Amino acid sequence: MNFEFPLQELPAVMRGPRVERRRVLVGGSAYWGTLIEDGADQGKLRLDDGRVVDPATVQHLPPVAPSKIIAVHISYSSRSFETRNQPKPTETPTYFTKPATSVNGHGCEILKPADSLYLNYEGEYAVVISKTCRNVLPDEAWDYIEGFCPALDMGLQNYRDTDQGSMLRVKGADTLLPIGPGIVKGVDLFAQTLRTYRNGQVVQEAHIGDETIWGPHYVIADIARHITLLPGDVILMGTPCHSRSVDPGDLVECEITGLGRLAGTVVAIPAPRASALGVGHQPNDSPEVRRVAFGFDERVPERFKANYRAAGKP
């Protein structure tokens, strides 16, 4: 595994037993519950008030309410090869932020405005902070992690040419961070495989341990040198190769073995009203936009390209 600080042993947050906490809407009210791991009710959700419900019958709410969301630009070797043609993109990690209003839940709608041509998927795992974290060492950072979630870091790529530095509108629009279904601990994250699906076809896949450039302990220690992380804050740990655009009606899913499977459906909405008046930078279809939206097909496995085409609408 490629780590700045190799793990000598699994930290407590990765040691079993597995525990998954979800937040759901039942009868119009929000409840926390724990997924039942064995027995006759395995796979069902035991609410904190004692009731047992089928997760398929309830609406999932985001399991986080972060004060901030910080995302790593590139932290998988396959993504670095695709975009930079080298195994490590930069000497140290670089970051951007997403507003808390981008958070969305499992089974959600992911909104694609009519004036945006390219909405790209990026399957990731998210790290959820458990307690106030500042000025920690990498070895200490594990003690500040509540758990991990599948996540989809969606992006409106038509703003790439103007928001390349901040990613504000690219990654920050409402609904562009589906996360969940729950927060999981007690699973060896680096033994898991991440897969992203478009309409049931695998379009991204990576063994997390094999492709990781910087582990979350390194990233948390780096960020917390200068920024205090608060309980519920989210760190997005990047995506493997083959981020591509999706269309209204597409079902996009991120599955991480051991953590769960997150789903969202792309839904078309009208262009913002102010856009018709020419307010602000308009979505563009520039060479820079296309470079990111379409990626570098010659540097990704053929099966991803074939599956992506097969998953498209006729």
Side-chain angles (χ1 to χ4, degrees):
M1 293 187 292
N2 300 319
F3 293 99
E4 292 290 333
F5 299 90
L7 300 183
Q8 301 302 313
E9 61 178 350
L10 282 183
V13 71
M14 290 192 195
R15 294 199 295 267
R18 183 186 189 276
V19 177
E20 179 175 351
R21 297 277 290 165
R22 298 189 184 187
R23 188 167 176 259
V24 297
L25 197 64
V26 180
S29 297
Y31 296 90
W32 281 98
T34 302
L35 199 69
I36 299 171
E37 299 289 340
D38 50 34
D41 288 328
Q42 183 178 12
K44 293 185 178 180
L45 192 66
R46 178 175 287 110
L47 304 181
D48 287 353
D49 64 10
R51 287 179 291 168
V52 174
V53 299
D54 182 348
T57 66
V58 296
Q59 179 183 344
H60 281 74
L61 301 173
V64 294
S67 73
K68 51 190 164 295
I69 301 156
I70 300 175
V72 184
H73 277 109
I74 299 176
S75 67
Y76 284 76
S77 56
S78 66
R79 182 68 165 161
S80 184
F81 272 117
E82 182 188 10
T83 60
R84 310 292 176 91
N85 204 24
Q86 56 190 23
K88 192 174 182 180
T90 48
E91 184 59 31
T92 55
T94 60
Y95 307 100
F96 64 93
T97 64
K98 292 169 76 95
T101 46
S102 66
V103 170
N104 211 340
H106 170 57
C108 63
E109 293 184 344
I110 305 167
L111 303 183
K112 183 177 183 181
D115 58 352
S116 292
L117 293 175
Y118 310 120
L119 172 64
N120 279 45
Y121 56 76
E122 293 186 10
E124 312 198 4
Y125 73 87
V127 180
V128 182
I129 299 299
S130 61
K131 57 185 177 182
T132 302
C133 179
R134 166 76 179 181
N135 195 25
V136 300
L137 299 177
D139 285 348
E140 300 167 338
W142 296 111
D143 295 333
Y144 294 82
I145 296 176
E146 178 70 24
F148 309 97
C149 311
L152 286 164
D153 181 19
M154 307 297 292
L156 294 173
Q157 302 299 347
N158 293 97
Y159 288 101
R160 273 277 180 172
D161 52 356
T162 184
D163 282 1
Q164 179 69 36
S166 71
M167 305 281 276
L168 180 62
R169 286 167 291 193
V170 176
K171 295 297 188 75
D174 293 353
T175 77
L176 294 193
L177 181 55
I179 188 168
I183 303 173
V184 178
K185 59 184 176 181
V187 170
D188 180 359
L189 180 69
F190 299 111
Q192 309 310 314
T193 297
L194 181 154
R195 297 182 181 92
T196 305
Y197 299 83
R198 181 192 187 197
N199 297 323
Q201 299 283 343
V202 176
V203 291
Q204 288 184 299
E205 184 174 68
H207 185 276
I208 294 173
D210 289 346
E211 288 207 22
T212 292
I213 299 170
W214 297 287
H217 56 319
Y218 181 90
V219 168
I220 289 171
D222 183 16
I223 294 170
R225 290 185 301 150
H226 306 292
I227 299 172
T228 298
L229 298 171
L230 300 177
D233 283 353
V234 168
I235 312 293
L236 297 175
M237 288 299 300
T239 196
C241 71
H242 201 249
S243 165
R244 298 295 186 269
S245 185
V246 289
D247 301 316
D250 281 348
L251 176 67
V252 184
E253 299 169 282
C254 176
E255 177 187 49
I256 302 176
T257 57
L259 298 189
R261 188 160 174 155
L262 167 73
T265 301
V266 180
V267 173
I269 61 171
R273 293 192 301 149
S275 295
L277 301 179
V279 174
H281 181 90
Q282 299 302 299
N284 199 6
D285 193 12
S286 68
E288 171 62 14
V289 165
R290 286 173 169 256
R291 181 187 69 81
V292 179
F294 296 151
F296 295 86
D297 273 356
E298 68 274 15
R299 299 179 192 163
V300 301
E302 180 60 39
R303 65 190 178 97
F304 294 159
K305 295 181 283 185
N307 286 351
Y308 177 79
R309 292 191 296 268
K313 299 293 189 296

